Amino acid sequence: MLEILHTPLLTKSMKMMMYRAVFLLFTAPWCVGRMRHSRNQRSCYDDIVELTEEDRLIHKKLKQYEYRGTLSRPVEKFTDIIKIEFGLQLIQIIDLDEKEQVLTLNVWVDHKWHDKYLTWNVSEYKGVTELHLPPSKIWTPDIKLYNYADKRISEYRDALSIVQHTGDITWLPQAVFRSQCNIDVGTFPFDKQTCTLKFGSWTYNGNQLDLQFKSGQANFTLADYTESNVWEIIEAPAVRHEMTYVCCDYPFIDLTFTLVIRRRATFYANILILPCVLLTSLTLVLFWIPPESPAKMMLGMTLFMAFFILLILYSGNMTPTEGSIPVLGMSIFMAFFVLMLLFEANLPPAAVRVPILGTYYCLNMVLITLSSFLNVFVVNMTFFGARAPVPYALKRIMFTWVARMFCMENLVLPFMNDGEMACSSKPHFMGVNSENKWSNDWRGSNECLLTVQKDITDNSSQLAQIHAKVAEIRNFLKLYKERLEEKDRKEKVTREWKALALVFDRIFFIIYLTTIVVSLSIVIVFIFSS
């Protein structure tokens, strides 16, 4: 036979087959003898690899399952119902994406059922009471997340199942579930969200598979839960349902786990709410600055921009001249635009309800935008000057009633006719509520000149020159008096317009202060009552 193997006519592959045949020919009788004399019918390779009782049991059960298959339920009759106990152990809330409305959870999924084909006698295998088998080799229930929102094919991580000698199987794989969650942002950032996870068999109906809570515990297990920095768990109940769908005539069983969580609002209060309140309150400063002051136009640009750049960095590292537009109001408006960007980044793109905080933001933006127009109106009124006198009706209403209501009587008293008579003893501004510096009665000087002229002869040329000079001085003084009176009149009108502008400033201040306080109170009451 060795000569045949060394024959040059045989190819390499034929020689290999001949070598294998010779090897089996010599070793087969020895292996058969060993199998006949072995009490446990062990393999002839046991002398090379010594198998434990657990190894033999695993080989035996997996070989049996390979024969029966993993597709059918492990029951005696087709009409029998297999009972599955199911539970969820919450480990971590990974994320709640408000924009995509997707909840991501890290959980341990607890399955338990009985498999009649995976039982054995412990005494026959030297006290082996449990095995650890891969779930792909045995039958496992097809429990699926109904409201999933995931692109991944598999949600479970690989984990062995624990098989008891009685046939009870426990399978506890790790899983990351991404489920749909309807987001209600009506009270953002003090919102409370309710998300559900619906589990059930995808193919077995209630007459084939009975799905129950493990140990009767109808809620999430929170023993190993890691606290979230964003969300606080309020409650985590679960409910069992039997539902009939359009596709089928028989009921399906599902277990619906509900997670009620509330947002921790401290971070958002510092980033969104507090700057909003402070910025709106700073608009009140605009109505206290004198209209003629350049600071009414310029104040706060550097402060606001630096403040909100700081806020953006913090959020990213953790969620003058007259006639010009008021720069302070525009700076506040730009700061609010930055706030709106931060606000929009934390909300769904198409929410069913408008957040109350979003409404509050819009109101404040309207107030800030309107404050720019109102300040332009006040500045323009201040520099309106003597182009026209203040209308009598407006002057009467604003100086008599409104100024008295806002405790501004001292400001407008010099411009009121009654005040001129009552306050004659008080110091006056030049040309306002003061007596005329020049009398309109020139008869005294004329009479004196006539008396002198009667006593002196008309032939005196020297006296004639003196008379001409006196007449010239008299005309000059008359023109100078008229100019001073016109200047005093214009200054009085200018001051009346400035006083009127200050009264309007006080009106706008009271209106803004009332609006800010009332709107903030309504928002706070609405949020905390919800």
Side-chain angles (χ1 to χ4, degrees):
M1 179 174 292
L2 294 176
E3 294 177 356
I4 296 175
L5 292 175
H6 289 84
T7 303
L9 297 177
L10 295 177
T11 62
K12 186 176 181 180
S13 60
M14 295 176 64
K15 289 182 179 180
M16 291 297 298
M17 294 178 62
M18 292 294 292
Y19 281 120
R20 292 176 181 176
V22 172
F23 175 78
L24 292 175
L25 182 63
F26 286 98
T27 59
W30 180 79
C31 288
V32 171
R34 293 284 296 176
M35 291 175 62
R36 288 177 179 177
H37 293 88
S38 176
R39 179 171 58 90
N40 296 322
Q41 298 182 352
R42 292 183 297 177
S43 171
C44 61
Y45 297 101
D46 285 357
D47 289 343
I48 303 174
V49 179
E50 185 68 25
L51 297 179
T52 64
E53 300 298 330
E54 182 181 3
D55 296 333
R56 293 193 305 105
L57 183 58
I58 290 175
H59 282 290
K60 178 181 179 180
K61 293 302 178 182
L62 290 182
K63 190 172 183 180
Q64 290 177 354
Y65 236 102
E66 183 180 0
Y67 175 75
R68 73 168 296 272
T70 60
L71 302 179
S72 61
R73 295 170 301 139
V75 293
E76 293 184 2
K77 301 179 181 179
F78 178 76
T79 56
D80 291 343
I81 300 176
I82 184 170
K83 180 181 177 181
I84 306 295
E85 294 186 11
F86 184 85
L88 287 181
Q89 187 168 347
L90 182 60
I91 304 301
Q92 182 185 11
I93 299 177
I94 297 177
D95 182 38
L96 177 57
D97 191 338
E98 290 91 346
K99 281 195 170 185
E100 300 296 334
Q101 302 191 75
V102 174
L103 173 66
T104 305
L105 298 178
N106 178 16
V107 298
W108 295 351
V109 188
D110 199 349
H111 306 76
K112 186 177 181 180
W113 69 94
H114 180 78
D115 192 330
K116 64 181 296 291
Y117 297 106
L118 293 176
T119 60
W120 66 89
N121 190 346
V122 177
S123 60
E124 294 182 1
Y125 293 93
K126 297 183 179 180
V128 178
T129 58
E130 66 178 26
L131 300 177
H132 297 79
L133 303 179
S136 59
K137 300 293 185 179
I138 61 175
W139 180 88
T140 54
D142 59 339
I143 306 299
K144 302 297 182 183
L145 176 63
Y146 279 26
N147 57 333
Y148 76 99
D150 203 345
K151 297 180 180 179
R152 297 172 301 168
I153 298 177
S154 177
E155 299 165 333
Y156 294 94
R157 300 190 66 179
D158 293 336
L160 297 176
S161 59
I162 302 174
V163 182
Q164 302 293 334
H165 68 281
T166 58
D168 294 331
I169 301 177
T170 300
W171 183 35
L172 188 64
Q174 297 172 315
V176 175
F177 289 124
R178 293 171 54 86
S179 63
Q180 303 167 1
C181 182
N182 294 326
I183 304 297
D184 182 9
V185 294
T187 56
F188 176 87
F190 300 94
D191 52 331
K192 182 172 65 174
Q193 305 297 339
T194 301
C195 301
T196 59
L197 290 86
K198 183 178 179 180
F199 293 91
S201 175
W202 192 252
T203 56
Y204 294 110
N205 58 63
N207 298 325
Q208 298 171 319
L209 188 146
D210 183 17
L211 188 60
Q212 298 286 343
F213 292 109
K214 186 176 181 181
S215 303
Q217 186 176 356
N219 52 25
F220 277 97
T221 302
L222 303 177
D224 297 316
Y225 173 67
T226 302
E227 288 287 340
S228 172
N229 293 330
V230 181
W231 299 99
E232 176 187 2
I233 296 179
I234 305 302
E235 54 181 342
V239 181
R240 182 178 182 271
H241 299 108
E242 291 188 14
M243 299 182 63
T244 302
Y245 296 93
V246 179
C247 66
C248 314
D249 297 331
Y250 29 81
F252 281 80
I253 300 175
D254 68 80
L255 302 180
T256 302
F257 291 81
T258 303
L259 193 63
V260 182
I261 53 179
R262 180 189 292 123
R263 193 188 304 270
R264 301 181 189 272
T266 304
F267 175 78
Y268 296 95
N270 294 331
I271 292 298
L272 299 178
I273 300 177
L274 183 59
C276 177
V277 175
L278 293 178
L279 281 177
T280 310
S281 302
L282 283 174
T283 57
L284 300 175
V285 178
L286 294 172
F287 303 113
W288 280 97
I289 300 176
E292 64 274 9
S293 174
K296 197 175 182 71
M297 306 292 181
M298 303 173 53
L299 183 62
M301 168 69 80
T302 305
L303 175 63
F304 282 126
M305 296 308 297
F307 178 61
F308 279 94
I309 290 175
L310 179 63
L311 281 178
I312 293 175
L313 293 176
Y314 178 63
S315 175
N317 289 281
M318 288 273 318
T319 297
T321 56
E322 60 182 76
S324 63
I325 300 177
V327 179
L328 175 58
M330 296 306 296
S331 301
I332 300 175
F333 184 82
M334 294 174 64
F336 250 88
F337 180 73
V338 176
L339 272 179
M340 287 298 292
L341 292 179
L342 294 175
F343 186 69
E344 184 271 340
N346 293 280
L347 291 181
V352 177
R353 295 177 58 191
V354 178
I356 185 65
L357 188 59
T359 305
Y360 180 65
Y361 264 58
C362 293
L363 173 62
N364 288 331
M365 290 191 67
V366 171
L367 292 177
I368 289 176
T369 305
L370 186 60
S371 69
S372 300
F373 288 99
L374 295 179
N375 278 278
V376 170
F377 171 75
V378 171
V379 171
N380 182 66
M381 183 180 296
T382 301
F383 293 100
F384 194 79
R387 285 176 282 183
V390 179
Y392 176 77
L394 179 62
K395 179 180 176 180
R396 187 73 178 175
I397 295 173
M398 300 300 293
F399 287 0
T400 305
W401 303 103
V402 179
R404 183 178 301 175
M405 184 185 305
F406 295 144
C407 303
M408 303 178 70
E409 294 179 349
N410 293 334
L411 176 67
V412 301
L413 197 58
F415 309 109
M416 299 172 61
N417 293 330
D418 297 338
E420 293 177 3
M421 298 176 61
C423 304
S424 59
S425 61
K426 296 182 179 180
H428 307 288
F429 297 101
M430 183 182 69
V432 181
N433 295 328
S434 60
E435 298 179 356
N436 289 334
K437 301 177 180 62
W438 312 102
S439 175
N440 292 325
D441 188 6
W442 293 82
R443 291 178 296 178
S445 60
N446 291 335
E447 290 176 355
C448 294
L449 291 174
L450 290 175
T451 304
V452 174
Q453 289 177 352
K454 288 180 181 180
D455 297 336
I456 304 175
T457 60
D458 295 335
N459 297 329
S460 177
S461 62
Q462 197 173 27
L463 292 176
Q465 292 179 0
I466 293 175
H467 176 74
K469 293 293 183 181
V470 170
E472 184 179 350
I473 292 173
R474 183 184 63 183
N475 293 333
F476 173 77
L477 293 176
K478 183 179 180 180
L479 291 176
Y480 186 71
K481 168 184 167 292
E482 291 176 353
R483 289 179 181 178
L484 288 179
E485 288 179 346
E486 181 65 19
K487 181 180 178 181
D488 289 346
R489 187 191 65 81
K490 290 182 178 180
E491 288 182 357
K492 180 181 178 180
V493 172
T494 301
R495 284 194 297 271
E496 285 182 350
W497 280 109
K498 289 183 179 180
L500 184 63
L502 292 175
V503 174
F504 272 105
D505 248 349
R506 185 65 59 85
I507 293 174
F508 297 150
F509 173 80
I510 298 299
I511 293 175
Y512 264 63
L513 180 61
T514 305
T515 305
I516 291 171
V517 173
V518 172
S519 61
L520 183 60
S521 301
I522 293 175
V523 169
I524 292 176
V525 171
F526 179 84
I527 288 176
F528 285 98
S529 63
S530 300

